[in-house]
Amino acid sequence: MTLLEALGITKRFDGICALNRVDLKVSAGELVGLIGPNGAGKTTLFNCLYGLVRPDEGRVLFKGEDITLLPVFKRARRGFGRTFQRVELFGGMTVVEHLLVAARAHARRGGVLQDLLLRGRPTATEQSEAEKVLALLGLTADADRPIEALSLGRARLVELARAIMNQPALLFLDEPFSGLDRTETAEVSEALLVAQREHGTTIMLVEHDITAVQAITQRLFVLDYGTLIAEGPTASVLKDPRVREAYLGVQA
Amino acid sequence: MNSADGTPAALLEVRDLTASYGPFKAVFGVSFSVPGGRATALLGPNGAGKTTVARAISGLISPERGHIWFNGTDIAGQRAYRIARLGIAHATEGRSVFASLTVEENLSLAFRRNAKRAALAAKLASAYDLFPRLGERRSQLAGTLSGGEQRMLSLARVLVDPPKLLVVDELSLGLAPVIVSEVYEKLALIKTQGTTLLIIEQYVEQALKIADDAVVMNRGEVVYAGPPTTADELASHFLIGS
Amino acid sequence: MNHLVEYLIRGIPIGCVFALVAVGIVLTYKTSGVLNLAFGAQAYVSAATFYVLRDPARTNWPMVPALIVSVLLLAPALGWLLDRVLYRHLRTAPPVAKLVTSLGLLVAIPELVKLDFLLGATQKPRPPGIATESIVLTLGNIRLDGNQVVTIVAAAVSVGGLTLLFRATNLGLQMRAVVESPRMTELAGVNADAVGTFSWMLSSFFAGLAGVLLAPLFGQLNSLDYLTLLVAALAAAAFGRLVSIPVAVAGGLGLGFAQNLAAGYLNDLLPEVLATSIRQALPFLALFLVLLLLPGIRRTKESTDPLAGVDPPPPAPVAAVRSRGLTIATRVTGAVAVGGGTLVTATLLDPFWLRIVTQGVILAVILLSVLVVTGLAGQISLCQASFAAIGALITAHLASRMGMSVLLAIAIGAAATAIVGALVALPALRIGGIHLALATLAFAVMFETVIMPIDSVNGGSRQLRVPRPLLFGIDFASDKAFFVLTVACLCLAAGAVLLLKYGTTGRFLDAVRGSEIAAASIGISPGKAKIVAFAISAAIAGFGGGLLASFEKQMGSTTYQGNFSFVVGLVWVVLVITLGSRTVQGAVNAGLSFMLFPQLLEKGLHLSGSVAQTIAFALFGLGAMTYAKHPEGIIDAQTRRAVNAIMRRLRRTRVGTPDSDPEGKSPTVVAPTSVSAADLWGSP
């Protein structure tokens, strides 16, 4: 089943064409990667799909619904999740509080009136849900630490946990391994595979670290100069001579 | 490797350096030296304190204790602009560009201090020669560049106008492999022109292609200093083994 | 058609005035990253000096030396001082911290100058112009006097000069670079501190020049007029997204034309009163609309220093870990203090001080609104006094004209103010931070200069009468009874605010404050969250305003001037933020100190009322300088320090070892704020 579909996405910045009629399809349950050389338009495409950038032309469909003009928070309510290249956490909150606020946002309950009626505190269900996700990602020991005291690797796991609390159908990961050393990269990769397995989450990631991409993705899209130059199963795409030339700089 | 045993003093000599961010101690009593005209690789896992050492050298942070001798002067704790004027250039990690200035203004800011107008044009041209992508986007605001292009811009600022000592932090992070190779070629070239290099890398293989010496750090301390061949083994031990 | 040309030409002088001030604002913002609300105050300093020096009754200096001293020497010296003492240390601080600092200066500087006037001379000097008043230019039937010509020339010259500086010189480039990242600029071999100091001296010189040139516009030399002019000119600056000098000039001229066109055509179409208010409201409406509609304002979000992680982390607002016993002990102490204070005030104080304390308690209710909008939502609102005034006006109209029960009227007033608050916060859907603060400032000034003077709003020359409430047969007419009622209202409002803070609303706002984009990624609408915060905040302020009207037994122009003027509102905000905008305690302390401190000064030091008031306001303003260091407020900072000390001692007596907490859970952990840099500090 096609989960996400992009049709003819075009985006120009100051007259320069960053994306040129890009089409792509992502099926439910896949773990796909988006790669390409610097300035190929990866981040722009990613943000067009996610909703941070509005494409000049083209449409984005999610489960068949046109969501091109939908703002990020509405997409999140339809099942989009995201982690960020420069980690975006809520300063001053502990790890478990990140998960609890996500749970509350997902439940879409509560508000001023509920707060005034003493119903604002996290519920037992939310607590146990958060504990489950913490355990899944190996964050239980960090639950009550402020996020400011975490290493970058742990911080990325917290972002992932927060996204998972929302039970996303589709998870966007922006360079999930950048700045991590090998142990941490392995940790995050493992967590992604667990999330995909346990929740059936579809995952799309942008990444530079080819080794990590190779290890976990099933399918790849390759962008160069704003055009999709290859797509298909990871192993065969990485062997494609055009990809090797454009991305890896190796003459075929 | 220092003047005490008769050999010529190193260009850069870090002695007993201790630095911290507020209450967080980042490096503890680090000592190593970078001989002139050579390339030294500073290696180690995340959080080892490499970036802190680089920042102390270029004056971005003031060390708590210790000395940094450059060309016979102790520069520890001096203001960054004075150190820059002494001939140390520091390409900081990540997308260190002025987002609100254009590509050309970013480059001019770096070049103009030692160049007249005519020389400036030549230097801009050679920057665009090195990274044609930047030439295409010269009048674009640097903040609108992609991550990789911003990285190119921050490297172009230091590669075109080679200083006495060049400190490059996390050189290959965020760059496509094809560009990384080009940057290393350029580094090799300016090394032959007399620039001393201190290269910080997390990915050891690349750095060792150019390095003459290696220093390995872990958890804020130097754990190895010496020739790069053995560092390879040492580094892989520290990177994977822990 | 002829009329059109005439209106346009008539618009040039006032357009140039707007342009000159707008250019000054853009200059400061571009070169220091500070949206300098104290620009008007700096202008006022030079203008005041110039006219004191020129004043025949005093020194009676000739024009040129007076100009040199006030504009060429004093103004840059003030810039140098501000940079040395304050802004140099704030160069890498967040924009909101810089805004709060300039807000404090905006309050403090004119008070300090005024203090000199009050102590020195009895008369404020009347401002003559630089040029003689004789008409020097005649275009058809339009006459420009010397001062207008000088203003036009000065605007043209400064635009040209500054454009040249930024476009073509190395120094201009360095000035722009230093704003974004002083550290990265230093890596290029540039002395960032020197460049930064020069920037401040230049922009301060500019403020001084504008101050002297524009003084003849005003009937009397008054810092408030400069502030109003500043806010009007902000519209022009906002057109240029606060960074483009040419666009700011075009915006200033455009405003001038629009005002004259409005004056010309509307006078024929509408009753004069309405036409005049529309003309006056124009710049503020324009500012509001620019913030609401101009594409790209959102993109001008404050650019961040890529090397920000280099700085030692600011004291983190991580709550100190308290033991259960200590929490209970502090709560009991708090309850006893509130109860005891109430009892003492109600029984022992004389009527004068009872009134003062009552006003303090009511103000504390109003200031709880700052806790919501600033403490929880992280936004700076500069129109809380206007919200309070709206609540008071609605209460007064309902109670006096319709004979409604005053408590019901207060409730309706609060609800209606909430709607106004939501409307004012509409730009929050697109923007936040300093831009949203600007929108609230535009609203505050517009409310004061345009809406409030309308007779049907303020009740005309006779004040609206507001009764004291009657509830369950208890009459709160006496000051004592009313005081007890206000304490009850404060407890009620504080309770509600705390429920919100620890409920869904507060946690969503915490998330939005932490990272808007991450909050959106889990389905929270940042715009809605901020608008809700403004609405709640406005409701609280409106509620407090209604209470105050009932306490004063009246509402109208006079009551407004005494209690709700927007400058007073700025002092409130500054005071709460300084003392602590995250806690109920901060709001209560701010409310009580605002009312009590000037009185204590007056009675204690035997000063005249206005001098005491001036000293108090100056001190309140200077207090804001601590904000950058203690964004959580000085009370909170002191509390945390005390709690940490107590907890250390408790642990030591219990465990016997001072540092037996290797897990890093000890309350003394001061954590870095930037996670991207956290990895450098070693993985724990």
Side-chain angles (χ1 to χ4, degrees), chain C residues 304-583:
Chain C
T304 47
D305 182 353
L307 293 181
V310 166
D311 286 304
V318 181
V321 181
R322 302 166 183 237
S323 72
R324 220 182 146 63
L326 189 60
T327 309
I328 292 170
T330 43
R331 285 197 185 151
V332 170
T333 319
V336 169
V338 171
T342 309
L343 203 65
V344 168
T345 310
T347 52
L348 296 181
L349 288 187
D350 66 31
F352 174 80
W353 288 103
L354 178 67
R355 281 185 67 87
I356 302 288
V357 174
T358 308
Q359 282 172 331
V361 172
I362 296 173
L363 185 56
V365 174
I366 296 175
L367 295 186
L368 283 174
S369 69
V370 181
L371 195 164
V372 174
V373 78
T374 303
L376 300 187
Q379 303 298 323
I380 303 278
S381 163
L382 303 176
C383 60
Q384 297 305 100
S386 314
F387 289 154
I390 292 170
L393 283 171
I394 294 173
T395 304
H397 278 283
L398 290 177
S400 75
R401 296 252 163 106
M402 302 173 68
M404 193 182 276
S405 137
V406 73
L407 285 178
L408 184 61
I410 291 176
I412 293 177
T417 315
I419 296 169
V420 177
L423 289 177
V424 171
L426 269 187
L429 286 174
R430 310 170 63 233
I431 53 174
I434 57 170
H435 293 103
L436 190 53
L438 275 189
T440 60
L441 185 60
F443 176 74
V445 178
M446 187 161 79
F447 183 79
E448 177 157 324
T449 55
V450 183
I451 298 176
M452 196 58 210
I454 299 173
D455 278 350
S456 54
V457 172
N458 63 31
S461 54
R462 290 179 56 206
Q463 299 255 338
L464 293 160
R465 288 202 59 251
V466 187
R468 293 275 174 91
L470 189 75
L471 188 66
F472 306 128
I474 308 169
D475 191 350
F476 290 98
S478 81
D479 278 1
K480 251 178 214 177
F482 195 83
F483 167 71
V484 175
L485 179 70
T486 57
V487 173
C489 286
L490 177 61
C491 293
L492 198 72
V497 166
L498 286 177
L499 283 176
L500 292 173
K501 182 178 173 183
Y502 293 110
T504 312
T505 314
R507 286 183 291 135
F508 278 15
L509 287 172
D510 277 343
V512 172
R513 202 163 33 97
S515 164
E516 277 195 25
I517 182 174
S521 85
I522 55 173
I524 298 171
S525 162
K528 185 188 154 199
K530 281 186 267 180
I531 288 178
V532 167
F534 264 91
I536 296 170
S537 167
I540 297 172
F543 175 70
L547 267 186
L548 194 56
S550 174
F551 171 72
E552 299 281 359
K553 299 183 190 161
Q554 57 179 349
M555 177 64 196
S557 294
T558 321
T559 317
Y560 178 88
Q561 285 306 328
N563 294 293
F564 301 110
S565 84
F566 92 97
V567 177
V568 166
L570 295 183
V571 182
W572 293 351
V573 173
V574 165
L575 193 59
V576 182
I577 292 176
T578 309
L579 291 177
S581 60
R582 297 271 303 156
T583 56

Side-chain angles (χ1 to χ4, degrees), chain B residues 15-212:
Chain B
R15 276 281 158 262
D16 204 24
L17 182 75
T18 298
S20 47
Y21 299 91
F24 283 74
K25 283 238 182 338
V27 295
F28 315 92
V30 164
S31 299
F32 65 93
S33 54
V34 178
R38 290 161 70 92
T40 303
L42 181 56
L43 310 168
N46 243 351
K50 300 168 301 215
T51 298
T52 307
V53 169
R55 286 172 173 176
I57 292 172
S58 65
L60 284 178
I61 57 171
S62 265
E64 235 162 68
R65 264 191 302 120
H67 302 280
I68 301 167
W69 297 93
F70 177 69
N71 243 349
T73 340
D74 189 357
I75 56 167
Q78 284 211 26
R79 295 272 306 279
Y81 76 97
R82 289 190 185 279
I83 295 176
R85 288 178 188 177
L86 289 175
I88 297 182
H90 180 186
T92 47
E93 61 176 346
R95 309 166 168 196
S96 306
V97 297
F98 295 101
S100 66
L101 305 184
T102 65
V103 169
E104 189 141 318
E105 284 170 337
N106 263 278
L107 293 170
S108 305
L109 188 74
F111 302 153
R112 254 197 208 167
R113 230 186 49 76
N114 332 315
K116 295 261 177 291
R117 297 231 155 203
L120 177 66
K123 284 182 180 180
L124 287 174
S126 62
Y128 300 144
D129 201 37
L130 181 62
F131 298 112
R133 206 54 190 270
L134 296 181
E136 290 165 24
R137 319 213 146 172
R138 67 181 75 187
S139 53
Q140 220 171 304
L141 290 185
T144 66
L145 297 178
S146 81
E149 287 162 345
Q150 292 186 356
R151 191 74 191 119
M152 290 180 205
L153 180 54
S154 59
L155 286 173
R157 289 196 307 229
V158 293
L159 290 177
V160 169
D161 211 355
K164 286 199 193 100
L165 172 69
L166 175 57
V167 184
V168 195
D169 198 355
E170 295 294 5
L171 186 144
S172 57
L173 198 68
L175 282 178
V178 60
I179 308 282
V180 173
S181 313
E182 280 173 29
V183 170
Y184 271 101
E185 280 169 30
K186 178 72 181 174
L187 283 176
L189 181 70
I190 65 172
K191 192 178 98 179
T192 62
Q193 292 164 351
T195 296
T196 307
L197 302 173
L198 178 63
I199 297 166
I200 295 171
E201 272 281 6
Q202 212 183 98
Y203 298 102
V204 189
E205 300 84 355
Q206 283 286 4
L208 289 180
K209 285 181 196 156
I210 191 173
D212 304 299

Side-chain angles (χ1 to χ4, degrees), chain A residues 162-181:
Chain A
R162 180 180 64 192
I164 289 175
M165 282 303 285
N166 244 354
Q167 298 167 11
L170 176 57
L171 200 48
F172 288 82
L173 308 175
D174 192 355
E175 306 213 12
F177 308 118
S178 102
L180 300 189
D181 65 27

Side-chain angles (χ1 to χ4, degrees), chain C residues 213-285:
Chain C
L213 285 180
L214 304 186
L217 289 175
F218 312 125
Q220 240 193 358
L221 205 54
N222 181 346
S223 66
L224 193 59
D225 289 330
Y226 279 101
L227 181 58
T228 311
L229 177 62
L230 176 82
V231 179
L234 274 171
F239 265 117
R241 292 172 194 143
L242 298 178
V243 293
S244 167
I245 287 179
V247 179
V249 171
L253 288 172
L255 273 184
F257 295 153
Q259 270 201 336
N260 273 279
L261 287 180
Y265 288 116
L266 289 180
N267 275 348
D268 305 340
L269 301 173
L270 296 170
E272 199 190 318
V273 184
L274 199 54
T276 314
S277 26
I278 288 181
R279 194 173 74 92
Q280 284 174 344
L282 206 76
F284 312 116
L285 279 176

